[in-house]
């Protein structure tokens, strides 16, 4: 079909040029004759691309291999940044969860045997009962893959017990033992899911954000019948519907409590019985969701394990080893604390979780690379002061409070660029922003920071752009015929209304590369509508202005963003860099289009001389404003820059906010990275900071 359109377009263009030469048309008449061929020309190009896309086969197994490589690299790097193996991984042990939190074991076996085809795994390796689920550390992969008949598991634990770290270990183990054709494990943070949103649509969005190559439309040869409101399924949705993704859901308890039962019901509805799945949650919220009045809802066909407190000897060995070794002076600093780990003391309870031990070692163990001017590390004996810290919650609060000063103590070779006060102020703002404007979501999304700008400021920016454009056009068009202006406006208005109804562009998400989107007929119709509107006002002038407006609308609303490379993961820094490139491309493309429109209008009015007399400086400015407006509309980067500038002026964040976040993740351990998002090291750290007050002084130096 694309070739047919291409041939018709070529014939039309040649015919237009022949007629222009035969009848000795002027410049304006020649342009008016040739421009109508642009619509079928665009249709030809777009149809040709669509034909090629449908013809290209997709090797699903190769696609999964590429995705597995990207996922493994992502979480291997994240485990390194989180210092999971420094000096060695803290042990995590578990037992079978209480009977009221899981299905009866005989029901799990019966369910697995009743599935069509062979049961998953080898039935000979299934456990005889739930008591055999007990284990520790690397055994988690065997528990899911071999011991649980249904390969469905709920991981329960107290705050800071190591649920997320264990989930990452499970993901790494599953990828290591994965063979060709097996599903690829992917970790999803449930806190950003609204249970009223279809689960697979949300999962597909998360996949596409972390792996933009999956936004490519699934060819007809592999696409399923499932579609979204936007049209045919993309590769992400196809893989989900085909059961080629093994979802690992983290943070069920981070959903609003009122939605817990609804979320479990949605999980059961969306995931087929044979779909392997893992869910983590704090024990209390999960138990509450199962015991609420009315119908009991639990994750269908799932076994459950309960993480155990860290053993006193394991915590003691880890703290001493991190301090340099058993017999070093720094290790001896822990003697009093270690003597109380076995007792039911506040410090013993606070250091019974991997999170508590991590915070304590960061705060109290001297670092070998500390700068000479750094203050000495505080002594851990203060944790044993029951007058100051009468219970473990007060110690937890103290550890959270002391963590950021410890993380920003000057050390080599990477001394922090920001003072403790600057860092604390920024983290408090970010935590409060997440709690108050993001419903407590842990996902720090750089493209949403512009929401911190008051609406009146956003309206002011938009008004300035529109006002500047209108003023420059009035200045430039003092002698322009009214019918041309009306034709241009009609073309824009008709095109904008049509594309708004078609819903061609989804706002709010970051993009990384441009291409013309589908449906191609919708975009071509935009050009036609613009042309008709122009004809209604002025035959030649209106057609030219309307078509130029239609082409601009196609650029503005017919562009979508994607990155086809599936072997890499787009983290926040990568997404920001690619989004910046997209913004610049938009500015250039629409700026050139704006110059084209202005040139056409001035040529129609009074020839080339009229375009050059007195207006040479105004035209490029108008084109630049058009480009900036399009870049702001098409990408998230422009408003991110505006948002960062606003926050820096208000002294809420550093001027180089993304550099601060990257440093906090890679070198301070305050943030972690989950796909395209940053998150606080632990949700309780975010909640603790959100409850803090900003203590600012008049002589504080501005953030860098």
């Amino acid at each position: 079909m694309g070739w047919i359109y291409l041939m018709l377009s070529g014939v039309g263009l040649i015919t237009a040029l022949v007629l222009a030469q035969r009848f000795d048309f002027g410049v304006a008449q020649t342009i008016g004759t040739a421009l109508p061929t642009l619509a079928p020309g665009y249709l030809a190009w777009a149809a040709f691309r669509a034909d090629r896309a449908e013809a290209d086969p997709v090797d699903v197994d190769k696609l999964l291999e590429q995705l597995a490589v990207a996922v493994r690299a992502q979480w291997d790097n994240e485990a390194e940044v989180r210092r999971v193996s420094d000096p060695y991984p803290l042990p995590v042990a578990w037992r079978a969860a209480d009977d009221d939190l899981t299905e009866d074991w005989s029901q799990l076996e019966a369910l697995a045997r009743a599935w069509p085809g062979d049961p998953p795994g080898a039935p000979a390796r299934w456990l005889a009962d739930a008591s055999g689920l007990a284990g520790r550390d690397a055994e988690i992969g065997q528990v899911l893959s071999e011991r649980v008949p249904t390969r469905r598991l709920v991981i329960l634990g107290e705050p800071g017990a190591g649920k997320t770290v264990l989930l990452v270990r499970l993901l790494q183990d599953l990828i290591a033992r994965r063979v060709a054709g097996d599903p690829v494990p992917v970790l999803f943070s449930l806190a950003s899911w609204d249970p009223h949103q279809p689960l697979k649509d949300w999962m597909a969005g998360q996949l596409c954000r972390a792996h933009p190559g999956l936004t490519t439309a699934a060819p007809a040869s592999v696409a399923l019948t499932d579609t979204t409101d936007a049209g045919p399924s993309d590769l992400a949705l196809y893989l989900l519907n085909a059961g080629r993704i093994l979802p690992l859901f983290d943070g069920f308890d981070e959903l609003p409590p009122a939605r817990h039962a609804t979320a479990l019901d949605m999980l059961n509805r969306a995931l087929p019985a044979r779909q392997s799945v893992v869910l983590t949650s704090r024990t209390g919220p999960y138990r509450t969701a199962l015991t609420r009045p009315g119908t009991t809802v639990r994750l269908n066909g799932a076994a459950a394990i309960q993480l155990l407190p860290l053993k006193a000897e394991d915590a003691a060995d880890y703290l001493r080893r991190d301090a340099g070794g058993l017999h070093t002076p720094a290790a001896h600093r822990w003697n009093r604390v270690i003597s109380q780990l076995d007792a039911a003391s506040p410090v013993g309870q606070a250091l019974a979780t991997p999170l508590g031990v991590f915070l304590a070692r960061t705060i109290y163990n001297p670092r070998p690379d500390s700068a000479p001017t750094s203050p000495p590390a505080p002594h851990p004996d203060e944790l044993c002061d029951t007058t100051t810290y009468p219970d473990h919650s007060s110690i937890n609060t103290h550890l959270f409070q002391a963590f950021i000063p410890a993380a920003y103590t000057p050390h080599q070779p990477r001394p922090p660029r920001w003072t403790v006060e600057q860092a604390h102020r920024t983290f408090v703002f970010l935590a409060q922003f997440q709690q108050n404007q993001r419903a407590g979501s842990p996902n720090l999304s750089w493209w949403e920071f512009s929401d911190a700008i008051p609406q009146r400021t956003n309206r002011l920016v938009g008004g300035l752009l529109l006002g500047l454009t209108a003023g420059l056009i009035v200045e430039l068009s003092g002698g322009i015929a009214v019918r041309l202006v009306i034709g241009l406006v009609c073309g824009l208005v008709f095109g904008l209304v049509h594309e708004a109804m078609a819903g061609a562009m989804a706002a709010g998400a970051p993009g990384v590369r441009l291409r013309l989107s589908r449906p191609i007929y919708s975009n071509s119709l935009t050009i036609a509508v613009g042309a008709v509107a122009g004809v209604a006002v002025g035959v030649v002038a209106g057609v030219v202005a309307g078509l130029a407006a239609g082409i601009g609308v196609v650029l503005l609303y017919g562009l979508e963003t994607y990155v086809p490379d599936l072997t890499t993961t787009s983290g926040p820094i990568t997404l920001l860099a690619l989004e910046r490139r997209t913004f610049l491309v938009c500015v250039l493309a629409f700026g050139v289009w704006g110059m084209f429109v202005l040139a056409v209008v001035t040529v129609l009015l009074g020839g080339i001389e009229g375009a050059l007399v007195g207006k040479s400086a105004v035209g490029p400015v108008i084109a630049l404003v058009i480009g900036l407006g399009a870049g702001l509309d098409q990408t998230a980067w422009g408003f991110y820059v505006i948002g960062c500038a606003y926050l820096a002026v208000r002294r809420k964040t550093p001027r180089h906010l993304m550099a601060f976040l990257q440093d906090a993740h890679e070198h301070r351990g305050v943030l972690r990275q989950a796909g395209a998002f940053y998150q606080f090291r632990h949700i309780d750290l975010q909640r603790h900071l959100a409850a803090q007050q900003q203590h600012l002084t008049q002589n504080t130096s501005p953030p860098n």
Side-chain angles (χ1 to χ4, degrees), residues 240-253:
L240 289 167
N241 287 329
R244 311 305 292 272
I245 301 296
L246 196 167
L248 310 179
F249 294 120
D250 190 27
F252 170 80
D253 56 282

Side-chain angles (χ1 to χ4, degrees), residues 105 162 218 437 472 474-475 557 563:
W105 194 261
Q437 296 184 253
L472 291 173
V474 170
E475 167 66 18
Y557 287 90
V563 163

Side-chain angles (χ1 to χ4, degrees), residues 242-425:
R244 311 305 292 272
I245 301 296
L246 196 167
L248 310 179
F249 294 120
D250 190 27
F252 170 80
D253 56 282
E254 294 172 11
L255 290 168
R259 298 181 179 179
H260 284 170
T262 301
L264 285 173
D265 183 58
M266 291 293 292
L267 287 170
N268 289 332
R269 290 172 179 266
L271 302 174
R274 200 180 176 91
Q275 170 76 65
S276 180
V277 62
V278 180
L279 177 71
T280 72
S281 175
R282 298 186 183 189
T283 308
Y286 190 76
R287 185 186 297 277
T288 301
L290 268 58
T291 58
R292 60 179 300 170
T295 303
T296 298
V297 182
R298 56 168 51 91
L299 185 61
N300 291 339
I305 60 174
Q306 173 76 44
L307 300 191
L308 299 174
L310 194 62
K311 291 182 179 180
E313 56 268 27
D314 290 333
D317 291 344
Y318 189 85
L319 291 171
R320 285 169 171 160
R321 173 62 182 84
D322 184 70
L326 180 62
H327 302 294
T328 61
H332 291 159
R333 288 159 41 95
W334 290 100
N335 288 345
R336 186 179 175 192
V337 169
I338 290 173
S339 68
Q340 298 188 24
L341 292 182
D342 276 325
S345 62
V347 67
Q349 296 175 27
L351 300 189
T353 66
L355 176 62
V357 172
F358 166 80
L359 294 174
R361 72 98 172 243
T362 303
I363 296 166
Y364 294 105
N365 272 344
R367 308 315 307 176
D369 52 4
S370 297
T373 57
S374 300
H379 201 287
D381 281 357
E382 66 183 20
L383 297 175
C384 302
D385 184 354
T386 54
T387 301
T388 305
Y389 308 113
D391 52 39
H392 74 276
S393 62
S394 60
I395 293 183
N396 290 337
T397 300
H398 164 70
L399 293 177
F400 282 135
Q401 191 71 23
F403 175 50
I404 291 177
Y408 283 83
T409 298
H411 65 277
Q412 302 297 334
R414 292 184 179 274
R417 294 168 51 187
W418 301 271
T419 66
V420 170
E421 186 175 8
Q422 292 166 355
H424 181 267
R425 179 173 60 244

Side-chain angles (χ1 to χ4, degrees), residues 404-405 407-410 414-427 653-665 667-668 701-704:
I404 291 177
Y408 283 83
T409 298
R414 292 184 179 274
R417 294 168 51 187
W418 301 271
T419 66
V420 170
E421 186 175 8
Q422 292 166 355
H424 181 267
R425 179 173 60 244
T426 301
F427 287 129
T653 65
R655 288 193 295 269
H656 304 291
L657 178 55
M658 189 55 69
F660 174 85
L661 297 178
Q662 183 181 18
D663 177 80
H665 167 239
H667 306 298
R668 313 298 155 200
S701 58
N704 293 319

